[in-house]
Amino acid sequence: MEKVKIQLKKTGHAFYKILIGHNFSKNIAKFLRKEFPESVCVIIADETVKKLYGENLRKELKKNGQKVFLFSIPEGERSKNQKYKTMIEEKMLKLRIGRQSVIVAIGGGVVGDLAGFIAATYMRGIPCIQVPTTLLAMVDSSIGGKTGIDTEQGKNLIGAFWQPRAVFVDLKYIQSLSQRQFINGLVEAVKVFLTSDANSFLYVEKHISIILKRNQEALKKVITSAVSIKARVVERDERESGERMILNFGHTVGHALENLSQYKIPHGYAVALGIIIEAGIAVDTGKLKISDYSRIKNLLINKMGIELKTLGAYKPKEILDHAKNDKKSKNGKSRYVILKEIGKVYVCKNMFAHHVKDSAVIRVLNKINLANKK
Ligand code: GLY
């Protein structure tokens, strides 16, 4: 089992562990009984995960002598909203679940973000543990305490920083993911390597065929590296006032595409397109070498099967306008994380995201569309 620790400076619960290994149900039950012996456990899952793993986890926790409830929401990004947040809170209130309770979020990013946000606000805040079941949640969304919901105006615009008390990354879940779900998460690991770790990017490039076949050792290495890098970034900048913005590489455009497609484009796929466009912007602004850009496109398009044709459905101006709703926007202008080389982002005057002229974004989008039509 691998252990990654997060040590935060500012928050009350300043330390937690991310455990990476296999078959954690018993460990979760043991952890809950030790840390929260008198607490009511509220497991939150989507309907599919509830059937696949939630019921078993409930049984395991019950066996352990704890009072457990299991609530579910429909599967998919469309459930990450105020309606389902209120629905679960009302159920908890009707059951008179008080402060002495702990939420166990089991699932992908949608459940993790929603359940984490419920934990952040219920009775002014109750503990939460994250049990990610998708690769995307394992390498990104379950780590670092970002919680929230989507609105008509964009993704994650309402939320809170609420750090989990522990994260259990159980690699057994990976085998049941569809290849699309798997790629969806691998993109986030690639993103973190592009911003911070050239060696891990090289490792993915070299071992992509066994990674895509879900070789356990290769996956453990990729996940542990991605989680460790993210943990270090979060330690240095928990509230995203600076460095943590690098984790949004590819997300200014990625979130715009998700929103424009009404969440039909899965997050990782939208981010992959966002990475290609934002790396293109880095080349256009003279920061990134074309040879690095070619490596990025080769991995994402040729090896991981990201299709540029998805972009054809949206006008460059529409993408640009939606990108302005991003949380990194300042004075109505969107900001972009700019790569300097593989493994490093461009930082200027301690700024990790930068304004880019609209004309440059449009130029890059047109170029990519044109190349794709040929
Ligand atoms: N997903 C980006 C972050 O956690 O900051």
Side-chain angles (χ1 to χ4, degrees):
M1 189 203 308
E2 305 288 337
K3 281 187 196 161
V4 178
K5 295 176 184 164
I6 292 205
Q7 179 80 56
L8 298 159
K9 292 184 203 92
K10 291 182 190 144
T11 46
H13 303 291
F15 170 82
Y16 59 95
K17 280 186 194 153
I18 302 152
L19 301 174
I20 302 161
H22 282 95
N23 298 316
F24 277 142
S25 297
K26 285 196 171 52
N27 304 55
I28 296 170
K30 217 166 121 192
F31 173 85
L32 288 171
R33 205 177 50 193
K34 181 163 170 269
E35 298 292 326
F36 308 102
E38 306 294 325
S39 295
V40 175
C41 298
V42 178
I43 303 174
I44 302 179
D46 73 26
E47 272 145 23
T48 312
V49 171
K50 176 184 167 183
K51 282 185 217 127
L52 285 175
Y53 315 117
E55 297 287 3
N56 281 343
L57 186 60
R58 170 168 46 189
K59 278 184 207 142
E60 197 65 57
L61 302 189
K62 254 189 150 163
K63 253 199 301 193
N64 223 26
Q66 282 186 284
K67 192 161 185 186
V68 192
F69 294 98
L70 169 57
F71 300 128
S72 62
I73 55 167
E75 196 180 341
E77 185 76 35
R78 292 206 145 268
S79 301
K80 202 176 107 177
N81 60 23
Q82 191 62 52
K83 176 178 149 198
Y84 287 104
K85 180 171 185 278
T86 306
M87 182 195 89
I88 291 179
E89 287 161 346
E90 284 181 352
K91 284 186 182 173
M92 289 170 69
L93 290 169
K94 278 188 190 138
L95 287 161
R96 298 188 187 282
I97 294 173
R99 270 210 173 130
Q100 214 173 18
S101 51
V102 50
I103 287 184
V104 180
I106 177 165
V110 167
V111 162
D113 285 9
L114 181 81
F117 191 30
I118 293 172
T121 58
Y122 191 76
M123 304 273 158
R124 297 209 176 95
I126 57 173
C128 171
I129 73 160
Q130 293 278 350
V131 186
T133 58
T134 63
L135 184 56
L136 189 142
M138 291 176 191
V139 296
D140 189 40
S141 59
S142 69
I143 320 278
K146 276 190 181 174
T147 72
I149 51 173
D150 302 334
T151 67
E152 286 289 305
Q153 286 70 29
K155 264 187 76 114
N156 304 327
L157 295 182
I158 309 286
F161 287 96
W162 192 249
Q163 297 294 339
R165 298 295 188 87
V167 183
F168 291 88
V169 176
D170 194 331
L171 300 172
K172 79 163 180 242
Y173 296 129
I174 292 183
Q175 298 309 331
S176 60
L177 299 176
S178 67
Q179 197 62 358
R180 208 164 156 77
Q181 283 174 312
F182 181 75
I183 298 284
N184 203 35
L186 190 57
V187 170
E188 288 285 4
V190 168
K191 169 211 77 182
V192 97
F193 299 152
L194 281 172
T195 63
S196 310
D197 184 359
N199 283 335
S200 292
F201 183 81
L202 186 63
Y203 179 86
V204 176
E205 273 181 315
K206 279 194 171 156
H207 297 86
I208 188 65
S209 55
I210 60 165
I211 292 171
L212 290 176
K213 287 186 190 131
R214 305 187 201 182
N215 172 285
Q216 287 292 301
E217 276 317 299
L219 274 179
K220 197 167 177 184
K221 188 170 158 57
V222 168
I223 292 170
T224 308
S225 304
V227 164
S228 307
I229 295 168
K230 178 155 184 182
R232 300 293 80 81
V233 172
V234 171
E235 279 175 347
R236 290 191 290 266
D237 177 25
E238 185 191 354
R239 299 289 163 121
E240 201 172 289
S241 50
E243 185 184 352
R244 187 166 177 172
M245 275 184 208
I246 67 171
L247 300 174
N248 288 310
F249 174 53
H251 284 59
T252 306
V253 173
H255 281 169
L257 291 171
E258 272 185 283
N259 195 244
L260 269 170
S261 75
Q262 300 189 328
Y263 302 104
K264 286 195 186 83
I265 306 180
H267 179 70
Y269 283 77
V271 169
L273 292 168
I275 289 174
I276 293 166
I277 293 159
E278 294 181 22
I281 292 172
V283 173
D284 188 88
T285 53
K287 300 285 182 305
L288 184 70
K289 281 194 301 210
I290 199 96
S291 53
D292 278 356
Y293 188 39
S294 302
R295 280 174 68 193
I296 298 170
K297 285 194 296 184
N298 184 43
L299 181 68
L300 290 174
I301 300 169
N302 301 338
K303 303 285 194 274
M304 289 168 60
I306 300 301
E307 292 184 329
L308 290 178
K309 69 168 189 260
T310 318
L311 278 178
Y314 310 103
K315 294 193 179 75
K317 174 85 173 53
E318 274 180 317
I319 299 176
L320 182 72
D321 287 345
H322 272 72
K324 291 184 179 166
N325 276 339
D326 189 77
K327 288 191 293 313
K328 291 185 296 310
S329 294
K330 246 188 182 173
N331 310 326
K333 286 188 188 162
S334 42
R335 292 192 298 160
Y336 296 83
V337 175
I338 304 286
L339 274 197
K340 195 164 85 174
E341 59 188 75
I342 287 177
K344 283 205 176 79
V345 298
Y346 168 69
V347 184
C348 178
K349 296 187 188 136
N350 225 16
M351 301 275 281
F352 292 81
H354 312 273
H355 293 307
V356 173
K357 282 193 184 130
D358 287 358
S359 56
V361 180
I362 298 281
R363 188 162 53 239
V364 170
L365 284 165
N366 280 334
K367 232 186 200 167
I368 291 175
N369 273 338
L370 211 67
N372 188 38
K373 277 187 195 132
K374 278 185 190 159

